[in-house]
mmCIF file of all heavy atoms in Angstrom:
data_model
loop_
_atom_site.group_PDB
_atom_site.id
_atom_site.type_symbol
_atom_site.label_atom_id
_atom_site.label_comp_id
_atom_site.label_asym_id
_atom_site.label_seq_id
_atom_site.Cartn_x
_atom_site.Cartn_y
_atom_site.Cartn_z
ATOM 1 N N ALA A 20 103.851 49.765 60.562
ATOM 2 C CA ALA A 20 103.126 49.223 59.393
ATOM 3 C C ALA A 20 102.163 48.177 59.836
ATOM 4 O O ALA A 20 101.574 47.499 59.034
ATOM 5 C CB ALA A 20 104.185 48.597 58.464
ATOM 6 N N GLY A 21 101.940 47.930 61.155
ATOM 7 C CA GLY A 21 100.921 47.020 61.636
ATOM 8 C C GLY A 21 101.379 45.526 61.559
ATOM 9 O O GLY A 21 100.512 44.719 61.359
ATOM 10 N N CYS A 22 102.719 45.379 61.644
ATOM 11 C CA CYS A 22 103.189 43.997 61.644
ATOM 12 C C CYS A 22 102.611 43.264 62.840
ATOM 13 O O CYS A 22 102.801 43.739 64.025
ATOM 14 C CB CYS A 22 104.689 43.986 61.630
ATOM 15 S SG CYS A 22 105.442 42.384 61.860
ATOM 16 N N ASP A 23 101.872 42.185 62.681
ATOM 17 C CA ASP A 23 101.247 41.463 63.819
ATOM 18 C C ASP A 23 102.275 40.580 64.551
ATOM 19 O O ASP A 23 102.143 40.287 65.684
ATOM 20 C CB ASP A 23 100.080 40.667 63.276
ATOM 21 C CG ASP A 23 98.983 41.487 62.624
ATOM 22 O OD1 ASP A 23 98.486 42.344 63.447
ATOM 23 O OD2 ASP A 23 98.666 41.276 61.543
ATOM 24 N N ALA A 24 103.285 40.061 63.777
ATOM 25 C CA ALA A 24 104.057 39.117 64.374
ATOM 26 C C ALA A 24 105.550 39.133 63.755
ATOM 27 O O ALA A 24 105.615 39.168 62.429
ATOM 28 C CB ALA A 24 103.539 37.715 64.146
ATOM 29 N N TYR A 25 106.467 39.099 64.603
ATOM 30 C CA TYR A 25 107.927 38.980 64.165
ATOM 31 C C TYR A 25 108.553 37.752 64.760
ATOM 32 O O TYR A 25 108.441 37.540 65.948
ATOM 33 C CB TYR A 25 108.651 40.219 64.518
ATOM 34 C CG TYR A 25 110.165 40.156 64.222
ATOM 35 C CD1 TYR A 25 110.630 40.508 63.045
ATOM 36 C CD2 TYR A 25 111.020 39.512 65.175
ATOM 37 C CE1 TYR A 25 112.066 40.350 62.682
ATOM 38 C CE2 TYR A 25 112.314 39.393 64.892
ATOM 39 C CZ TYR A 25 112.860 39.831 63.647
ATOM 40 O OH TYR A 25 114.196 39.629 63.391
ATOM 41 N N PHE A 26 109.181 36.926 63.962
ATOM 42 C CA PHE A 26 109.884 35.790 64.371
ATOM 43 C C PHE A 26 111.293 35.953 63.858
ATOM 44 O O PHE A 26 111.612 36.152 62.702
ATOM 45 C CB PHE A 26 109.256 34.473 63.923
ATOM 46 C CG PHE A 26 107.772 34.354 64.271
ATOM 47 C CD1 PHE A 26 106.806 34.713 63.423
ATOM 48 C CD2 PHE A 26 107.370 33.890 65.547
ATOM 49 C CE1 PHE A 26 105.450 34.622 63.742
ATOM 50 C CE2 PHE A 26 106.091 33.804 65.925
ATOM 51 C CZ PHE A 26 105.080 34.172 65.023
ATOM 52 N N GLY A 27 112.354 35.700 64.786
ATOM 53 C CA GLY A 27 113.675 35.884 64.305
ATOM 54 C C GLY A 27 114.717 35.151 65.062
ATOM 55 O O GLY A 27 114.387 34.548 66.129
ATOM 56 N N TYR A 28 115.960 35.082 64.591
ATOM 57 C CA TYR A 28 117.079 34.379 65.260
ATOM 58 C C TYR A 28 118.231 35.324 65.130
ATOM 59 O O TYR A 28 118.526 35.911 64.031
ATOM 60 C CB TYR A 28 117.317 33.093 64.531
ATOM 61 C CG TYR A 28 118.252 32.169 65.201
ATOM 62 C CD1 TYR A 28 117.889 31.341 66.250
ATOM 63 C CD2 TYR A 28 119.576 32.136 64.720
ATOM 64 C CE1 TYR A 28 118.893 30.543 66.837
ATOM 65 C CE2 TYR A 28 120.511 31.311 65.407
ATOM 66 C CZ TYR A 28 120.148 30.510 66.430
ATOM 67 O OH TYR A 28 120.982 29.716 67.056
ATOM 68 N N PRO A 29 119.017 35.490 66.184
ATOM 69 C CA PRO A 29 120.185 36.447 66.113
ATOM 70 C C PRO A 29 121.197 36.066 65.047
ATOM 71 O O PRO A 29 121.570 34.917 64.938
ATOM 72 C CB PRO A 29 120.784 36.309 67.513
ATOM 73 C CG PRO A 29 119.767 35.739 68.352
ATOM 74 C CD PRO A 29 118.939 34.766 67.497
ATOM 75 N N ILE A 30 121.611 37.093 64.322
ATOM 76 C CA ILE A 30 122.838 36.973 63.461
ATOM 77 C C ILE A 30 123.255 38.438 63.166
ATOM 78 O O ILE A 30 122.543 39.338 62.836
ATOM 79 C CB ILE A 30 122.481 36.194 62.114
ATOM 80 C CG1 ILE A 30 123.778 36.001 61.301
ATOM 81 C CG2 ILE A 30 121.458 36.776 61.297
ATOM 82 C CD1 ILE A 30 123.653 35.019 60.094
ATOM 83 N N THR A 31 124.525 38.659 63.182
ATOM 84 C CA THR A 31 125.129 39.939 62.805
ATOM 85 C C THR A 31 125.202 39.952 61.294
ATOM 86 O O THR A 31 125.440 38.953 60.625
ATOM 87 C CB THR A 31 126.594 40.001 63.304
ATOM 88 O OG1 THR A 31 126.515 39.596 64.724
ATOM 89 C CG2 THR A 31 127.170 41.390 63.172
ATOM 90 N N PRO A 32 124.854 41.104 60.636
ATOM 91 C CA PRO A 32 124.676 42.437 61.301
ATOM 92 C C PRO A 32 123.215 42.892 61.328
ATOM 93 O O PRO A 32 122.918 43.960 60.864
ATOM 94 C CB PRO A 32 125.488 43.346 60.330
ATOM 95 C CG PRO A 32 125.377 42.628 58.976
ATOM 96 C CD PRO A 32 125.101 41.219 59.259
ATOM 97 N N GLN A 33 122.313 42.091 61.816
ATOM 98 C CA GLN A 33 120.898 42.536 61.876
ATOM 99 C C GLN A 33 120.186 42.244 63.158
ATOM 100 O O GLN A 33 119.039 42.418 63.344
ATOM 101 C CB GLN A 33 120.116 41.930 60.756
ATOM 102 C CG GLN A 33 119.918 40.394 60.834
ATOM 103 C CD GLN A 33 118.859 39.896 61.790
ATOM 104 O OE1 GLN A 33 117.759 40.407 61.765
ATOM 105 N NE2 GLN A 33 119.321 39.083 62.715
ATOM 106 N N SER A 34 120.957 41.804 64.223
ATOM 107 C CA SER A 34 120.328 41.411 65.478
ATOM 108 C C SER A 34 119.597 42.549 66.144
ATOM 109 O O SER A 34 118.582 42.292 66.934
ATOM 110 C CB SER A 34 121.440 40.892 66.488
ATOM 111 O OG SER A 34 121.981 39.742 65.946
ATOM 112 N N GLU A 35 119.939 43.742 65.726
ATOM 113 C CA GLU A 35 119.195 44.951 66.307
ATOM 114 C C GLU A 35 117.662 44.817 66.008
ATOM 115 O O GLU A 35 116.855 45.343 66.780
ATOM 116 C CB GLU A 35 119.711 46.237 65.798
ATOM 117 C CG GLU A 35 121.146 46.613 66.221
ATOM 118 C CD GLU A 35 122.172 45.955 65.251
ATOM 119 O OE1 GLU A 35 121.772 45.212 64.242
ATOM 120 O OE2 GLU A 35 123.362 46.084 65.388
ATOM 121 N N VAL A 36 117.338 44.302 64.926
ATOM 122 C CA VAL A 36 115.916 44.145 64.547
ATOM 123 C C VAL A 36 115.146 43.356 65.628
ATOM 124 O O VAL A 36 114.131 43.788 66.251
ATOM 125 C CB VAL A 36 115.690 43.489 63.114
ATOM 126 C CG1 VAL A 36 114.235 43.493 62.844
ATOM 127 C CG2 VAL A 36 116.475 44.299 62.136
ATOM 128 N N LEU A 37 115.717 42.164 65.878
ATOM 129 C CA LEU A 37 115.083 41.270 66.920
ATOM 130 C C LEU A 37 115.095 41.998 68.268
ATOM 131 O O LEU A 37 114.075 41.969 69.030
ATOM 132 C CB LEU A 37 115.775 39.958 66.978
ATOM 133 C CG LEU A 37 115.445 38.976 68.037
ATOM 134 C CD1 LEU A 37 113.961 38.600 68.068
ATOM 135 C CD2 LEU A 37 116.272 37.688 67.924
ATOM 136 N N GLU A 38 116.285 42.628 68.548
ATOM 137 C CA GLU A 38 116.397 43.293 69.898
ATOM 138 C C GLU A 38 115.372 44.455 70.057
ATOM 139 O O GLU A 38 114.768 44.583 71.066
ATOM 140 C CB GLU A 38 117.819 43.733 70.077
ATOM 141 C CG GLU A 38 118.843 42.587 70.396
ATOM 142 C CD GLU A 38 120.290 42.971 70.168
ATOM 143 O OE1 GLU A 38 120.572 44.212 69.712
ATOM 144 O OE2 GLU A 38 121.106 42.121 70.375
ATOM 145 N N TYR A 39 115.267 45.157 69.074
ATOM 146 C CA TYR A 39 114.330 46.368 69.030
ATOM 147 C C TYR A 39 112.911 45.952 69.262
ATOM 148 O O TYR A 39 112.191 46.369 70.130
ATOM 149 C CB TYR A 39 114.511 47.184 67.783
ATOM 150 C CG TYR A 39 113.752 48.548 67.737
ATOM 151 C CD1 TYR A 39 114.482 49.675 68.150
ATOM 152 C CD2 TYR A 39 112.483 48.612 67.475
ATOM 153 C CE1 TYR A 39 113.855 50.887 68.087
ATOM 154 C CE2 TYR A 39 111.886 49.871 67.405
ATOM 155 C CZ TYR A 39 112.557 51.002 67.677
ATOM 156 O OH TYR A 39 111.955 52.241 67.677
ATOM 157 N N LEU A 40 112.512 44.844 68.427
ATOM 158 C CA LEU A 40 111.199 44.394 68.492
ATOM 159 C C LEU A 40 110.878 43.672 69.754
ATOM 160 O O LEU A 40 109.780 43.732 70.327
ATOM 161 C CB LEU A 40 110.860 43.553 67.302
ATOM 162 C CG LEU A 40 110.875 44.401 66.033
ATOM 163 C CD1 LEU A 40 110.698 43.458 64.771
ATOM 164 C CD2 LEU A 40 109.731 45.464 65.987
ATOM 165 N N ALA A 41 111.882 42.945 70.366
ATOM 166 C CA ALA A 41 111.707 42.213 71.597
ATOM 167 C C ALA A 41 111.426 43.240 72.697
ATOM 168 O O ALA A 41 110.738 42.985 73.703
ATOM 169 C CB ALA A 41 112.944 41.454 71.932
ATOM 170 N N ARG A 42 111.995 44.381 72.569
ATOM 171 C CA ARG A 42 111.811 45.468 73.627
ATOM 172 C C ARG A 42 110.377 46.220 73.331
ATOM 173 O O ARG A 42 109.652 46.393 74.254
ATOM 174 C CB ARG A 42 112.917 46.486 73.560
ATOM 175 C CG ARG A 42 112.930 47.513 74.602
ATOM 176 C CD ARG A 42 114.213 48.375 74.446
ATOM 177 N NE ARG A 42 113.988 49.339 73.328
ATOM 178 C CZ ARG A 42 114.939 49.549 72.428
ATOM 179 N NH1 ARG A 42 116.081 48.892 72.417
ATOM 180 N NH2 ARG A 42 114.774 50.419 71.423
ATOM 181 N N GLU A 43 110.103 46.485 72.104
ATOM 182 C CA GLU A 43 108.984 47.365 71.795
ATOM 183 C C GLU A 43 107.644 46.633 71.548
ATOM 184 O O GLU A 43 106.643 47.134 71.934
ATOM 185 C CB GLU A 43 109.297 48.183 70.508
ATOM 186 C CG GLU A 43 110.505 49.205 70.666
ATOM 187 C CD GLU A 43 110.143 50.327 71.608
ATOM 188 O OE1 GLU A 43 108.954 50.852 71.680
ATOM 189 O OE2 GLU A 43 111.023 50.750 72.421
ATOM 190 N N MET A 44 107.657 45.477 70.883
ATOM 191 C CA MET A 44 106.426 44.855 70.556
ATOM 192 C C MET A 44 105.582 44.436 71.681
ATOM 193 O O MET A 44 104.292 44.694 71.704
ATOM 194 C CB MET A 44 106.603 43.748 69.594
ATOM 195 C CG MET A 44 106.475 44.191 68.168
ATOM 196 S SD MET A 44 106.755 42.892 67.019
ATOM 197 C CE MET A 44 105.307 42.910 65.967
ATOM 198 N N PRO A 45 106.145 43.917 72.725
ATOM 199 C CA PRO A 45 105.288 43.529 73.827
ATOM 200 C C PRO A 45 104.545 44.674 74.435
ATOM 201 O O PRO A 45 103.385 44.588 74.924
ATOM 202 C CB PRO A 45 106.178 42.923 74.906
ATOM 203 C CG PRO A 45 107.408 42.463 74.075
ATOM 204 C CD PRO A 45 107.533 43.459 72.990
ATOM 205 N N VAL A 46 105.109 45.827 74.407
ATOM 206 C CA VAL A 46 104.507 47.111 74.970
ATOM 207 C C VAL A 46 103.502 47.687 73.970
ATOM 208 O O VAL A 46 102.472 48.123 74.344
ATOM 209 C CB VAL A 46 105.598 48.173 75.231
ATOM 210 C CG1 VAL A 46 104.992 49.379 76.048
ATOM 211 C CG2 VAL A 46 106.762 47.564 76.030
ATOM 212 N N ARG A 47 103.830 47.672 72.656
ATOM 213 C CA ARG A 47 103.038 48.324 71.715
ATOM 214 C C ARG A 47 102.073 47.446 70.963
ATOM 215 O O ARG A 47 101.408 47.768 70.014
ATOM 216 C CB ARG A 47 103.968 49.172 70.718
ATOM 217 C CG ARG A 47 104.728 50.306 71.563
ATOM 218 C CD ARG A 47 105.912 50.745 70.748
ATOM 219 N NE ARG A 47 105.514 51.452 69.557
ATOM 220 C CZ ARG A 47 106.472 51.940 68.689
ATOM 221 N NH1 ARG A 47 107.696 51.762 69.040
ATOM 222 N NH2 ARG A 47 106.100 52.492 67.606
ATOM 223 N N GLY A 48 102.074 46.190 71.348
ATOM 224 C CA GLY A 48 101.184 45.250 70.656
ATOM 225 C C GLY A 48 101.841 44.461 69.594
ATOM 226 O O GLY A 48 102.635 44.978 68.867
ATOM 227 N N GLY A 49 101.531 43.131 69.496
ATOM 228 C CA GLY A 49 102.121 42.368 68.455
ATOM 229 C C GLY A 49 102.952 41.212 69.147
ATOM 230 O O GLY A 49 103.342 41.238 70.248
ATOM 231 N N VAL A 50 103.092 40.136 68.343
ATOM 232 C CA VAL A 50 103.852 38.969 68.859
ATOM 233 C C VAL A 50 105.172 39.044 68.413
ATOM 234 O O VAL A 50 105.494 39.349 67.217
ATOM 235 C CB VAL A 50 103.147 37.736 68.227
ATOM 236 C CG1 VAL A 50 104.022 36.513 68.424
ATOM 237 C CG2 VAL A 50 101.719 37.449 68.824
ATOM 238 N N VAL A 51 106.196 38.807 69.324
ATOM 239 C CA VAL A 51 107.530 38.713 68.989
ATOM 240 C C VAL A 51 108.161 37.515 69.583
ATOM 241 O O VAL A 51 107.854 37.187 70.812
ATOM 242 C CB VAL A 51 108.368 40.034 69.317
ATOM 243 C CG1 VAL A 51 108.330 40.297 70.804
ATOM 244 C CG2 VAL A 51 109.746 39.934 68.834
ATOM 245 N N LEU A 52 108.924 36.684 68.798
ATOM 246 C CA LEU A 52 109.401 35.435 69.381
ATOM 247 C C LEU A 52 110.742 35.163 68.827
ATOM 248 O O LEU A 52 110.893 35.157 67.560
ATOM 249 C CB LEU A 52 108.385 34.286 69.044
ATOM 250 C CG LEU A 52 108.694 32.970 69.681
ATOM 251 C CD1 LEU A 52 108.639 33.048 71.176
ATOM 252 C CD2 LEU A 52 107.671 31.969 69.193
ATOM 253 N N GLN A 53 111.706 34.846 69.682
ATOM 254 C CA GLN A 53 113.035 34.374 69.252
ATOM 255 C C GLN A 53 112.878 32.895 69.026
ATOM 256 O O GLN A 53 112.647 32.114 69.920
ATOM 257 C CB GLN A 53 114.056 34.632 70.272
ATOM 258 C CG GLN A 53 115.480 34.180 69.811
ATOM 259 C CD GLN A 53 116.584 34.675 70.738
ATOM 260 O OE1 GLN A 53 116.525 35.697 71.361
ATOM 261 N NE2 GLN A 53 117.647 33.983 70.689
ATOM 262 N N ALA A 54 113.089 32.480 67.716
ATOM 263 C CA ALA A 54 112.906 31.104 67.375
ATOM 264 C C ALA A 54 114.274 30.287 67.593
ATOM 265 O O ALA A 54 115.257 30.908 67.903
ATOM 266 C CB ALA A 54 112.497 30.980 65.925
ATOM 267 N N GLU A 55 114.129 29.014 67.450
ATOM 268 C CA GLU A 55 115.328 28.179 67.639
ATOM 269 C C GLU A 55 116.254 28.104 66.463
ATOM 270 O O GLU A 55 117.382 27.619 66.538
ATOM 271 C CB GLU A 55 114.903 26.757 68.115
ATOM 272 C CG GLU A 55 114.077 26.025 67.056
ATOM 273 C CD GLU A 55 112.600 26.273 67.201
ATOM 274 O OE1 GLU A 55 112.251 27.327 67.679
ATOM 275 O OE2 GLU A 55 111.811 25.352 66.794
ATOM 276 N N SER A 56 115.804 28.728 65.329
ATOM 277 C CA SER A 56 116.608 28.666 64.167
ATOM 278 C C SER A 56 115.922 29.500 63.119
ATOM 279 O O SER A 56 114.702 29.850 63.236
ATOM 280 C CB SER A 56 116.836 27.264 63.568
ATOM 281 O OG SER A 56 115.615 26.821 63.123
ATOM 282 N N GLU A 57 116.596 29.812 62.038
ATOM 283 C CA GLU A 57 115.986 30.529 60.892
ATOM 284 C C GLU A 57 114.906 29.697 60.255
ATOM 285 O O GLU A 57 113.947 30.132 59.621
ATOM 286 C CB GLU A 57 117.018 31.095 59.987
ATOM 287 C CG GLU A 57 117.822 32.107 60.475
ATOM 288 C CD GLU A 57 119.054 31.685 61.237
ATOM 289 O OE1 GLU A 57 119.163 30.456 61.467
ATOM 290 O OE2 GLU A 57 119.967 32.490 61.553
#
Side-chain angles (χ1 to χ4, degrees):
Chain A
C22 174
D23 298 301
Y25 172 89
F26 304 98
Y28 188 82
I30 183 170
T31 310
Q33 68 75 54
S34 297
E35 295 85 0
V36 182
L37 172 58
E38 287 165 355
Y39 190 95
L40 293 174
R42 188 176 74 228
E43 293 293 324
M44 264 180 127
V46 190
R47 294 161 68 182
V50 166
V51 59
L52 187 62
Q53 179 170 334
E55 62 271 28
S56 69
E57 291 84 352

